[in-house]
Amino acid sequence: MRQIPVDTAVMTVMLIQTPVPKIKNRETGEVAIDKQSGKTLFNVNVAVIVDGRPDAVTIVVAEDGVQPDLFPGTPVALPGLVARPWENDFGHGISFRATAVMAAQVPAAASNGKG
């Protein structure tokens, strides 16, 4: 499947809610598992802000890439973020996957020189 790298340098990304396991089958409650690693997949809901305009986006991250102490409102980094176009009988869209979600290094506020 085609993957498109996403450059997050031009955006602010903030966690909306604590990451939760991705559900594969809503009827049975079966949790989604990464086919290659066997790790549980998590949905990470973030606000992506570009040019002052926010959008809510769900990013999928394997459990070993989820920083455990994240809380809503935390600015986050999403290394290895890719977009994957998809299409099936019910529609089409773009899904997002990252290798990790972690607290972003936020630069210290600049001093205004007034102490």
Side-chain angles (χ1 to χ4, degrees):
M1 179 180 291
R2 189 169 142 209
Q3 296 183 54
I4 303 165
V6 177
D7 179 10
T8 59
V10 297
M11 60 184 78
T12 299
V13 183
M14 187 175 300
L15 191 68
I16 295 175
Q17 69 183 49
T18 304
V20 295
K22 180 178 179 174
I23 302 300
K24 180 177 180 178
N25 184 323
R26 292 177 196 246
E27 290 180 14
T28 66
E30 179 184 3
V31 175
I33 303 294
D34 182 74
K35 293 175 185 172
Q36 290 152 341
S37 71
K39 304 284 185 184
T40 299
L41 296 175
F42 277 72
N43 281 334
V44 179
N45 293 310
V46 297
V48 175
I49 305 165
V50 179
D51 295 330
R53 296 174 46 181
D55 283 302
V57 177
T58 299
I59 313 293
V60 175
V61 178
E63 67 182 314
D64 58 350
V66 177
Q67 182 177 326
D69 58 348
L70 296 175
F71 57 90
T74 302
V76 294
L78 299 164
L81 181 62
V82 294
R84 295 178 176 174
W86 61 269
E87 183 175 357
N88 62 28
D89 293 339
F90 305 107
H92 61 278
I94 299 173
S95 63
F96 295 93
R97 178 111 184 228
T99 56
V101 58
M102 60 189 70
Q105 299 296 326
V106 179
S111 171
N112 64 5
K114 296 184 180 181

